[in-house]
């Protein structure tokens, strides 16, 4: 059995286990409701923001959907997008207030960005968010070096219609480096999804490793999930150098997703956040992107 097959088998077993855990959790929750001990949670601000070497900052702000005994219609989910915050990015010398705008290339389709500040490798960037009485902040550094990476494509061993992309990563630096793999299918959207099991540290693989790039999971996916790519897919892959705090966030995030059979349900594992006053992550990237059109040849 290949490494990829062993990994997928392991994930399938975890998925089955988690389905059982979800059933137990659901039964416990329903029992709690019946006994009038159900406690409602408070909605919290959630931040996803990034800045790349040579790129402009992008910040997406939402509020978490609180656990409640009240039904929340799907049409009301737009109410949880934060549209009127003051979002500022500083490099320690210059500060820029980002502009909020509708952009359907992202999900949710509302972002804060600017064309007046580009990321620069080795620089540190400070994020500040102000909304009513809330002040949240985060700090990140764009790593000095982009990854040294090549890619290989091949049909998945048990299928003639699915493709596996492999990132061949070389790291000869005498320091600890952190990486995150991202993937995107199609050209209509700009937003990448974190690749399944895509958080890496060179301590675990030494000077060289061949890492499977699994398809990320997105709320907008309309097909049954598979970690592989379909023949005919237009695929973009990003391998990003990130700092340690961003690595902690993505490592926790992808572990939670890998254990979830339902994107809206997640194991009770706390996800690390580098945002003060809110949840989420503000991260810098020095990345390499590669675009593929998957074919059998």
């Amino acid at each position: 059995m290949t490494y990829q097959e062993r990994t997928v088998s392991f994930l399938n077993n975890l998925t089955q286990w988690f389905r059982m855990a979800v059933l137990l959790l659901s039964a416990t929750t329903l029992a709690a409701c019946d006994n009038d001990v159900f406690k409602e949670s408070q909605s919290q601000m959630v931040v996803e923001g990034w800045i790349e070497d040579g790129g402009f900052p992008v910040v997406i702000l939402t509020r978490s959907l609180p656990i409640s005994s009240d039904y929340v219609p799907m049409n009301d989910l737009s109410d949880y997008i934060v549209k009127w915050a003051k979002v500022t990015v500083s490099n320690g010398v210059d500060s820029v207030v980002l502009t909020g705008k509708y952009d359907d290339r992202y999900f949710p389709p509302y972002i804060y960005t600017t064309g007046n500040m580009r990321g620069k490798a080795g620089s540190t960037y400070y994020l500040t968010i102000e909304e009513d009485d809330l002040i949240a902040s985060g700090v990140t550094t764009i790593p000095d070096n982009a990854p040294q990476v090549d890619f290989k494509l091949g049909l998945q061993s048990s299928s003639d219609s699915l493709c596996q992309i492999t990132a061949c990563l070389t790291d000869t630096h005498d320091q600890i480096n952190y990486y995150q793999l991202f993937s995107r299918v199609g050209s209509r959207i700009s937003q990448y999804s974190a690749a399944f099991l895509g958080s890496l540290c060179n301590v675990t693989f030494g000077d060289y490793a061949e890492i499977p790039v699994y398809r990320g999971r997105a709320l907008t996916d309309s097909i049954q999930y598979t970690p592989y790519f379909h023949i005919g897919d237009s695929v973009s892959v990003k391998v990003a150098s990130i700092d340690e705090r961003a690595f902690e966030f993505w490592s926790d995030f992808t572990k939670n997703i890998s254990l979830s059979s339902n994107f809206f349900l997640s194991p009770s594992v706390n996800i690390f956040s580098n945002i003060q006053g809110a949840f989420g992550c503000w991260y810098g990237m020095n990345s390499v992107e590669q675009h593929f059109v998957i074919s059998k040849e």
Side-chain angles (χ1 to χ4, degrees):
M1 184 180 289
T2 66
Y3 171 83
Q4 292 93 332
E5 290 170 334
R6 289 198 303 272
T7 303
V8 172
S9 176
F10 171 70
L11 291 174
N12 288 336
N13 289 336
L14 285 176
T15 298
Q16 294 300 320
W17 172 87
F18 186 70
R19 284 174 180 167
M20 295 176 62
V22 168
L23 290 174
L24 291 174
L25 179 61
S26 299
T28 303
T29 302
L30 289 173
C33 291
D34 289 341
N35 289 300
D36 294 327
V37 294
F38 185 92
K39 294 183 179 179
E40 296 188 0
S41 66
Q42 298 296 315
S43 181
Q44 304 286 337
M45 180 177 285
V46 180
V47 180
E48 182 183 359
W50 63 89
I51 183 168
E52 294 194 57
D53 178 43
F56 303 121
V58 175
V59 177
I60 299 174
L61 300 179
T62 55
R63 289 195 175 278
S64 61
L65 188 65
I67 299 174
S68 171
S69 56
D70 297 326
Y71 173 71
V72 179
M74 292 295 288
N75 291 339
D76 291 347
L77 293 182
S78 61
D79 295 340
Y80 291 88
I81 301 174
V82 179
K83 298 179 179 179
W84 304 109
K86 179 181 179 182
V87 181
T88 306
V89 173
S90 170
N91 59 11
V93 178
D94 300 314
S95 295
V96 177
V97 176
L98 309 191
T99 300
K101 65 175 185 176
Y102 175 83
D103 192 329
D104 64 1
R105 297 173 301 169
Y106 295 86
F107 187 86
Y110 193 88
I111 65 171
Y112 294 85
T113 189
T114 181
N116 295 323
M117 179 178 287
R118 287 185 182 270
K120 182 179 179 181
S123 296
T124 298
Y125 293 89
Y126 304 86
L127 174 70
T128 304
I129 300 163
E130 301 171 68
E131 189 210 22
D132 297 330
D133 296 332
L134 181 144
I135 298 178
S137 61
V139 59
T140 190
T141 299
I142 299 178
D144 289 315
N145 299 306
Q148 302 177 54
V149 61
D150 294 307
F151 297 94
K152 297 193 300 186
L153 277 71
L155 287 175
Q156 202 273 328
S157 58
S158 61
S159 173
D160 61 358
S161 63
L162 295 174
C163 177
Q164 173 69 66
I165 299 176
T166 302
C168 304
L169 190 59
T170 301
D171 189 319
T172 57
H173 301 291
D174 297 327
Q175 63 186 31
I176 299 176
N177 294 311
Y178 303 94
Y179 303 96
Q180 177 61 44
L181 276 59
F182 297 89
S183 65
R184 182 183 70 194
V185 177
S187 57
R188 188 186 66 80
I189 60 173
S190 297
Q191 193 170 7
Y192 279 83
S193 298
F196 222 34
L197 303 177
S199 304
L200 310 168
C201 175
N202 64 342
V203 171
T204 63
F205 64 78
D207 293 343
Y208 178 81
E210 295 188 0
I211 311 296
V213 181
Y214 294 120
R215 185 186 187 123
R217 300 184 72 172
L219 285 173
T220 51
D221 283 346
S222 60
I223 62 172
Q224 183 176 1
Y225 178 75
T226 172
Y228 303 108
F229 302 96
H230 294 269
I231 300 298
D233 279 348
S234 176
V235 179
S236 299
V237 173
K238 178 183 293 187
V239 181
S241 294
I242 56 178
D243 65 17
E244 182 178 6
R245 292 171 68 81
F247 171 80
E248 291 183 65
F249 168 82
W250 283 116
S251 180
D252 287 349
F253 179 88
T254 54
K255 285 176 184 175
N256 271 259
I257 297 303
S258 69
L259 290 172
S260 301
S261 59
N262 184 318
F263 196 92
F264 292 98
L265 295 173
S266 181
S268 56
V269 176
N270 290 333
I271 297 178
F272 174 85
S273 171
N274 70 349
I275 303 295
Q276 302 296 317
F279 296 104
C281 192
W282 163 242
Y283 57 101
M285 295 185 286
N286 196 336
S287 61
V288 172
E289 291 184 60
Q290 187 70 46
H291 307 285
F292 306 95
V293 175
I294 306 299
S295 66
K296 289 186 178 181
E297 298 180 357

